[in-house]
Amino acid sequence: MFFLALLSIIAAPDVYEWPLSLPPELTSSFAEYRTGRFHAGIDVRTNGIGRDVHAAADGYVSRVRCSPWGYGKAVYLQLNDGNTVVYAHLNDYCKPLRTYVQAAQHAKEDYTVDLYPKPEQFPIKRGEVIAQSGQTGIGAPHLHYEIRDTAQQPIDPRQLGISWPDETRPNIRSLLIEPKTGEATVNQDMQPYVLNVTHQGNGRYTCAPVHAYGPIAIGVDVIDPGKGGSKLGIYRMRLLRGEEELFRVQHDTLSYDNHRNSVVAYHPFLAKKGRFLLLRRWPGNVCASYAHSSGAGWVTISKAETLTVEITDFSDNTAHIEIPLLPDSAAPEPVGATNTATGDITWEGFGEGLLIYAKFPHAESEAPTLNVTHADKHDTLPFLRVSDTRFCAAICPPHTGMYRLDVHHPRLQPFQRKFFAALRGEGDAKATFEGVQLHVQNQSPYGAFIAHIMTLPDSVFAPMKKIGKFYRVWPEATPIDTPVTLSFPAPTDLPHPERVHVYRQQGKYWSRQNTKRQPGHFSIQTRTMGTFTLLEDATPPVIRDITPPDNYHAQTNRPHIHATIADALSGVSDFSLTCDGKWLLASYDPEHARMEWERDEPLPAGKHQLVFTITDMAGNSTQKTRTLFIP
């Protein structure tokens, strides 16, 4: 009987057909971190472009998309079992779908279409070729493969029997010990502490003992090494005290309503030190991956003990790290300290509060004082001694509103700062700060939204004409759920207001923001803070490297027609290619700045005029023409 049951398991077909006729390898896993969101599917390695993509099971095509951005060319299959499978970044569709999409594109005279065919239009059988793999949209060549349940929630494909070879354990790169702001310390300090780890072999890791007091949380910088150098995400991570599970993160399903909660699943303020997946629930994080534990994940430390983190990948390979914790104590006061030099004050944001540091060049025996003013109420907060020369104070704003901080000490320069705080659940909040208007909705903050706004000198480089001032909204890493509205003052007599947008600085570049223009100010809705200004783009886009050259005599009625198009300032808004005024179907690849005719229909014989037209987001346009002869 057991032998017959074993044979039936071995002989049972896979629940779904693997999408490619290639060995199953991934370049990205389900729920892996992406900028501001969780990855909703798996990315399958294609080793190039043009691989046949096979249908997972019987069903019908429920949606077809084509866009230069995001998923690029994508096909959605509604399966007979109620699930939906998404195939994205395709190079081409199967012939019936291609004909259907191209007809819609010509009717709309637009490359971008989002279509919902009727169930009877495109029935699909398991294993049928529905497309070819590619790299349209964003990213290198790969196939995005996503399964959604009957509620349209992305799910871990492994739950449906879809698997891939993986014999490598998760790789722990570093460890984070985070004290709860204002309530705990780690190694006599209030800021998060990053530890190096040592691999003992067989997935066992250790770290140096950590001194801690009060509620702390754990975060782990971990990857799951895949084939070809890929770095995948993990399936489950548990925090254990002996056999007791204190907290768990487990990626079974996601929701498009809250998959952006990944911004607080990984510590947003420590990205430069590591990508730390948190074993605690940040306020406002309601994604399903964090719904397996009832508590918030804070562990109160008052005695010596050892905690363990267990990490499992999607193929059930595991790794463990033991964390020895010892009671923490305040730093001893220096003996006979005589300090006459002037110290410095700095402040940092790490979440729901601020840390204020006083640093002296020599040992200092007298602690500074911190005065906090809010709504005409004054409080004095103590500074904690961190070392002979450093002190730290913490403030977690208890209510929405403006706050003023004053630090006093005979050997410190006067320090006064203002900041605005809005707490989740306290209703919408508005404020004006340095001329910038903020509107924070009730569900905007993850816990607390804290902002300090300052104007910067005009020496900041900008590639376009600047309108007004540079504004820095700090801290840049503040996580935001529902977008915050920022309104920047603007002149009312701008000759070309349509050319002006709000831009945010990103390293050496400036990124245009979707801008709403109103008399006296321009506003944006954003989840990302940083340095902003108003810039005017008066430079038209560029069209170059045109094929064919002018007066070209083609050898076929479907010649190759393409060009490089780019706009380094506000970005490309629209593109078109016409032949004697007739619209031609042309694709646009923004990553390679390439516009190309799809060669979907023959051109008539004779002399023709090709016109390339590019328009940027500021309304500037460029046209180039070529004369073409078709035999």
Side-chain angles (χ1 to χ4, degrees):
M1 181 66 69
F2 171 77
F3 180 71
L4 292 176
L6 180 62
L7 281 179
S8 65
I9 293 174
I10 295 174
D14 293 335
V15 175
Y16 287 160
E17 184 92 0
W18 184 254
L20 301 174
S21 298
L22 290 173
E25 293 183 17
L26 301 190
T27 62
S28 179
S29 57
F30 179 75
E32 186 180 2
Y33 176 78
R34 301 295 173 88
T35 303
R37 61 180 175 84
F38 284 118
H39 188 218
I42 60 176
D43 286 347
V44 180
R45 189 185 302 279
T46 59
N47 296 323
I49 294 174
R51 304 285 186 179
D52 285 346
V53 177
H54 301 273
D58 294 355
Y60 63 89
V61 175
S62 59
R63 186 181 182 186
V64 192
R65 294 174 62 189
C66 184
S67 169
W69 318 101
Y71 278 173
K73 295 180 178 179
V75 174
Y76 296 65
L77 294 187
Q78 178 68 51
L79 305 183
N80 291 344
D81 63 8
N83 291 337
T84 300
V85 182
V86 183
Y87 306 84
H89 307 299
L90 305 169
N91 187 59
D92 198 3
Y93 309 102
C94 65
K95 187 176 179 179
L97 287 181
R98 185 193 315 125
T99 301
Y100 171 70
V101 170
Q102 289 176 348
Q105 290 170 320
H106 278 277
K108 188 183 176 185
E109 292 194 353
D110 196 337
Y111 176 75
T112 300
V113 292
D114 192 357
L115 309 172
Y116 293 83
K118 296 179 180 179
E120 64 272 15
Q121 282 186 264
F122 301 106
I124 297 295
K125 291 294 184 182
R126 175 191 174 106
E128 184 176 342
V129 175
I130 58 171
Q132 278 75 48
S133 67
Q135 63 175 118
T136 55
I138 297 175
H142 71 278
L143 175 66
H144 176 85
Y145 181 74
E146 177 182 337
I147 301 176
R148 302 177 184 177
D149 62 17
T150 54
Q152 291 298 301
Q153 309 288 356
I155 58 176
D156 168 21
R158 192 180 64 163
Q159 297 182 46
L160 298 172
I162 298 171
S163 61
W164 47 90
D166 180 6
E167 298 178 357
T168 307
R169 299 177 187 269
N171 178 11
I172 300 175
R173 300 188 289 193
S174 57
L175 190 70
L176 170 69
I177 311 294
E178 179 189 16
K180 195 169 187 178
T181 304
E183 300 181 33
T185 61
V186 173
N187 289 343
Q188 300 176 341
D189 204 342
M190 293 185 180
Q191 67 179 341
Y193 189 77
V194 176
L195 293 89
N196 295 322
V197 299
T198 302
H199 190 200
Q200 302 292 329
N202 294 324
R204 292 283 177 179
Y205 292 79
T206 59
C207 65
V210 178
H211 291 267
Y213 172 79
I216 66 168
I218 308 296
V220 185
D221 184 357
V222 58
I223 62 167
D224 181 37
K227 291 187 177 181
S230 59
K231 299 175 181 179
L232 311 179
I234 58 97
Y235 168 61
R236 179 175 59 236
M237 187 162 74
R238 300 199 301 155
L239 179 63
L240 305 170
R241 177 187 279 140
E243 297 298 320
E244 178 190 5
E245 180 180 283
L246 303 179
F247 198 80
R248 182 200 303 188
V249 180
Q250 184 168 307
H251 301 306
D252 292 315
T253 184
L254 300 174
S255 169
Y256 280 106
D257 293 334
N258 55 51
H259 75 311
R260 288 186 177 276
N261 286 177
S262 68
V263 73
V264 288
Y266 294 80
H267 204 297
F269 291 92
L270 299 173
K272 293 183 179 179
K273 295 185 177 181
R275 188 176 290 174
F276 296 102
L277 181 61
L278 294 175
L279 276 160
R280 66 120 166 160
R281 186 183 296 105
W282 203 288
N285 183 356
V286 296
C287 70
S289 299
Y290 277 78
H292 300 275
S293 301
S294 58
W298 295 103
V299 180
T300 299
I301 304 300
S302 59
K303 61 180 181 179
E305 61 177 312
T306 298
L307 301 180
T308 301
V309 176
E310 174 195 86
I311 304 172
T312 306
D313 67 17
F314 285 92
S315 296
D316 293 327
N317 303 300
T318 61
H320 300 79
I321 183 167
E322 292 188 347
I323 309 168
L325 297 167
L326 302 173
D328 203 10
S329 59
E333 293 190 10
V335 178
T338 57
N339 182 19
T340 59
T342 302
D344 297 321
I345 295 287
T346 59
W347 62 338
E348 301 177 65
F350 283 113
E352 296 179 78
L354 296 171
L355 300 181
I356 297 91
Y357 281 92
K359 183 178 180 181
F360 297 90
H362 306 292
E364 174 59 54
S365 59
E366 182 180 350
T369 59
L370 173 63
N371 294 328
V372 181
T373 303
H374 167 66
D376 296 327
K377 294 183 179 180
H378 307 276
D379 292 308
T380 300
L381 300 180
F383 271 83
L384 170 75
R385 177 180 294 281
V386 176
S387 68
D388 284 356
T389 59
R390 295 176 70 233
F391 297 83
C392 180
I395 174 172
C396 295
H399 301 290
T400 294
M402 294 292 299
Y403 289 76
R404 191 186 76 193
L405 306 179
D406 294 275
V407 177
H408 298 285
H409 190 277
R411 284 170 292 282
L412 285 174
Q413 292 288 343
F415 179 88
Q416 184 181 97
R417 294 289 188 274
K418 291 182 179 180
F419 70 89
F420 174 71
L423 274 61
R424 189 181 184 96
E426 289 198 354
D428 290 8
K430 296 182 179 181
T432 300
F433 202 137
E434 291 288 338
V436 178
Q437 299 174 26
L438 298 93
H439 179 194
V440 184
Q441 298 183 56
N442 185 45
Q443 299 301 313
S444 292
Y446 282 105
F449 169 82
I450 295 176
H452 171 74
I453 301 179
M454 66 198 84
T455 58
L456 301 179
D458 286 343
S459 58
V460 177
F461 169 75
M464 293 170 273
K465 180 181 178 181
K466 181 175 70 68
I467 309 295
K469 300 178 180 180
F470 293 103
Y471 299 92
R472 184 187 180 196
V473 186
W474 176 93
E476 285 86 348
T478 297
I480 297 169
D481 192 354
T482 302
V484 168
T485 300
L486 302 177
S487 297
F488 300 90
T492 57
D493 57 351
L494 291 172
H496 297 284
E498 73 281 356
R499 296 177 179 175
V500 180
H501 289 80
V502 178
Y503 285 75
R504 181 170 59 85
Q505 190 174 27
Q506 291 184 276
K508 298 180 180 179
Y509 304 97
W510 290 84
S511 173
R512 182 194 59 83
Q513 310 295 293
N514 290 329
T515 303
K516 183 178 181 180
R517 302 172 184 85
Q518 294 175 316
H521 64 273
F522 288 0
S523 63
I524 63 172
Q525 290 189 324
T526 182
R527 289 186 173 93
T528 306
M529 300 296 103
T531 298
F532 299 89
T533 194
L534 300 177
L535 298 177
E536 179 181 351
D537 178 7
T539 304
V542 173
I543 305 176
R544 56 181 174 83
D545 303 330
I546 297 177
T547 296
D550 201 19
N551 293 309
Y552 179 72
H553 289 260
Q555 303 300 311
T556 173
N557 58 9
R558 297 180 192 239
H560 290 276
I561 302 174
H562 54 82
T564 297
I565 64 173
D567 187 272
L569 302 179
S570 60
V572 173
S573 170
D574 193 21
F575 60 96
S576 69
L577 173 64
T578 62
C579 178
D580 301 332
K582 179 186 176 183
W583 184 83
L584 298 182
L585 174 57
S587 63
Y588 171 46
D589 180 353
E591 290 190 326
H592 299 90
R594 183 181 175 91
M595 173 183 178
E596 184 170 8
W597 180 41
E598 294 279 85
R599 303 168 67 203
D600 59 311
E601 57 183 346
L603 298 180
K607 179 182 177 180
H608 303 287
Q609 185 181 58
L610 299 176
V611 179
F612 299 79
T613 305
I614 311 301
T615 304
D616 67 16
M617 292 290 185
N620 305 300
S621 292
T622 299
Q623 274 194 355
K624 296 285 186 178
T625 62
R626 290 291 185 270
T627 299
L628 174 66
F629 296 89
I630 297 295

